[in-house]
Amino acid sequence: MAPATAERREFLRKSLLLSIPPVLGFAGIGKVMAATGATTALTYTPPKRARGTTTLNVKNYGARGDGSSDDTTAFQKAVNALPSTGGTVYVPAGKYVIDPTRNVRLRSKMHLKLDPAAELWAKSNSAERAYVLMAMQVSDVEISGGKIRGDRYRHLGSAGEWGHGIMVRGSTRVTVRDIYIADCWGDGMSIGGAAQASGAVVPCNDVVVSNVVCTNNRRQGLTIGCSRNVKVYDSEFSNSNGIAPQCGIDIEPDVNDSRTTDTVHIENCLIRKNKGNGILVYKRVTGVTIKNNTVEYNGGYGILTVGANGGYIALNRMNRNYLCGLMFSSTSNDYQASSNVFRNNYTKIFGSHTTNYALVSMTGIKKGILPTGNDPHVQKASTATNIRVTTNQYAK
């Protein structure tokens, strides 16, 4: 096993330790990993981005890492000090307070490399929009290692839903790997377009998320907005709760963005215990592949498509989602779902809400009637077209 792969696997193992309820103890960890199937082994090696060989240490630019000093300026000085050829900004072990209303703005051709014991803590603020790390219209950027802790338990206001750990906008060739992001006022991570003064939107292109854990964030684990060629591998998106949509992953262009999101690949991820849907694919989205993931215990659908066009859903395990495992809703078109395993979905019928089982008229389910056959697992709206469902396994 290559050292880099060993390091990434160890990161994910430790992240799973943090996400497993204490009552399970160490003896329960193997059972959980064996039961989920996903994220027990890394399947993907993320690309390295082009950059120079210079390495700068944030502590040489005034960062304290003592958990109380504001280190935002020191981080930005280190980033700005890189030569035109770029390089690496290294963050040693420590707790660094970052003001997300200012954020650390990354530049092209750089790697922000956090020591495994380095943590970036969002400074308490009342802003509706604030981001710990920002990659705005840059290229060849890599972010890796350590942890980001948001301010959801220390937030000074009550409005807004855009306090993100990492914000990537209008950027190309970006890799985010081996990092743990939790407790954000908004999303753990958001990828999308950069609005221009002319009204045009520059989409992200070629963004890779690999071996990342996003958990207990207030809005969702990961948002994928106006983007092209996004890959998400070997990651966990869990326990999103606080303000809608509360999904593990939400693939959804902004309302005011006329452009689409296309070519998204999600593989070997664990998506569980989100208050909303596990994965939402919402309008003006094309070419989404969802493969070999475990999607379980979510408070909505396991996977929900709404008005999405062209996708492939295969080899996933969808278990114990509150609504059905997989729903093709309003005007979804040209999807294939094959070789998935569905177990014990539509847990709503076993909970306290024992009436009005279906939200709207759907194939095989009528309002107020218990679902039958495989309807607890896969449903299709009458307006969804060219939906092919083959060779799946179903169990109560």
Side-chain angles (χ1 to χ4, degrees):
M1 184 185 301
T5 303
E7 178 184 349
R8 293 176 65 232
R9 191 185 302 279
E10 179 65 8
F11 162 81
L12 189 54
R13 186 190 70 80
K14 290 179 179 178
S15 299
L16 283 170
L17 288 178
L18 293 173
S19 66
I20 293 171
V23 69
L24 290 177
F26 286 91
I29 294 168
K31 294 178 181 178
V32 170
M33 295 179 73
T36 61
T39 69
T40 58
L42 300 172
T43 64
Y44 180 76
T45 300
K48 291 186 177 181
R49 307 303 183 174
R51 58 179 174 267
T53 58
T54 299
T55 297
L56 303 177
N57 189 317
V58 293
K59 289 204 169 181
N60 292 335
Y61 291 83
R64 302 288 295 274
D66 57 12
S68 58
S69 302
D70 186 334
D71 288 322
T72 314
T73 298
F75 270 60
Q76 197 63 57
K77 284 181 178 179
V79 171
N80 295 346
L82 287 170
S84 60
T85 53
T88 298
V89 172
Y90 175 66
V91 183
K95 293 182 179 179
Y96 300 85
V97 176
I98 302 298
D99 184 350
T101 65
R102 297 163 58 201
N103 50 75
V104 176
R105 294 218 159 205
L106 307 182
R107 52 158 294 174
S108 295
K109 299 181 181 179
M110 74 162 289
H111 180 190
L112 182 67
K113 182 178 181 180
L114 280 69
D115 184 273
E119 300 186 14
L120 308 185
W121 285 68
K123 186 177 182 179
S124 297
N125 68 91
S126 61
E128 295 185 10
R129 297 179 182 271
Y131 323 112
V132 176
L133 300 179
M134 166 70 86
M136 171 66 80
Q137 290 189 259
V138 292
S139 59
D140 297 297
V141 170
E142 187 171 355
I143 303 168
S144 72
K147 298 181 177 66
I148 296 177
R149 296 279 185 183
D151 73 328
R152 71 171 297 172
Y153 297 120
R154 298 171 285 106
H155 198 70
L156 303 178
S158 58
E161 58 194 67
W162 305 281
H164 306 334
I166 299 176
M167 173 75 109
V168 182
R169 283 290 181 266
S171 296
T172 59
R173 298 185 299 278
V174 176
T175 295
V176 180
R177 62 176 177 85
D178 309 334
I179 191 166
Y180 182 97
I181 309 171
D183 305 337
C184 293
W185 184 247
D187 303 347
M189 182 174 176
S190 179
I191 303 166
Q196 308 296 295
S198 64
V201 175
V202 176
C204 277
N205 187 27
D206 186 7
V207 178
V208 169
V209 178
S210 180
N211 201 36
V212 168
V213 173
C214 290
T215 189
N216 195 46
N217 297 294
R218 184 168 167 264
R219 192 173 75 157
Q220 46 225 15
L222 170 64
T223 294
I224 303 173
C226 181
S227 306
R228 311 280 183 271
N229 305 307
V230 177
K231 296 178 180 178
V232 184
Y233 278 86
D234 305 328
S235 296
E236 175 184 325
F237 304 95
S238 61
N239 295 297
S240 303
N241 68 94
I243 190 167
Q246 304 173 111
C247 299
I249 301 177
D250 181 7
I251 308 172
E252 177 181 353
D254 289 338
V255 173
N256 58 354
D257 181 2
S258 62
R259 303 189 69 169
T260 61
T261 299
D262 65 69
T263 316
V264 176
H265 188 103
I266 302 168
E267 184 170 347
N268 200 43
C269 293
L270 174 60
I271 301 160
R272 71 192 312 257
K273 291 191 175 180
N274 299 285
K275 192 169 183 180
N277 305 298
I279 300 176
L280 172 62
V281 186
Y282 190 83
K283 295 183 179 179
R284 303 194 318 281
V285 178
T286 62
V288 174
T289 297
I290 303 172
K291 180 181 176 182
N292 193 32
N293 304 283
T294 296
V295 186
E296 62 182 10
Y297 294 97
N298 295 290
Y301 298 97
I303 300 173
L304 170 63
T305 73
V306 181
N309 185 48
Y312 184 56
I313 300 171
L315 299 169
N316 301 284
R317 298 155 296 279
M318 288 177 252
N319 312 313
R320 294 188 178 276
N321 296 287
Y322 186 66
L323 300 177
C324 73
L326 172 59
M327 171 62 176
F328 298 105
S329 190
S330 173
T331 67
S332 294
N333 176 61
D334 192 22
Y335 263 80
Q336 179 172 339
S338 300
S339 303
N340 301 285
V341 176
F342 297 86
R343 295 184 183 277
N344 300 303
N345 290 292
Y346 218 87
T347 57
K348 179 177 182 179
I349 65 175
F350 303 111
S352 59
H353 304 287
T354 55
T355 60
N356 193 21
Y357 299 107
L359 304 179
V360 294
S361 175
M362 294 177 283
T363 300
I365 293 186
K366 302 296 183 182
K367 184 175 180 179
I369 300 177
L370 285 171
T372 59
N374 294 327
D375 292 319
H377 302 305
V378 181
Q379 299 171 8
K380 181 184 82 68
S382 60
T383 55
T385 55
N386 196 21
I387 304 298
R388 303 173 300 285
V389 179
T390 61
T391 62
N392 298 287
Q393 297 181 36
Y394 308 93
K396 293 182 179 180

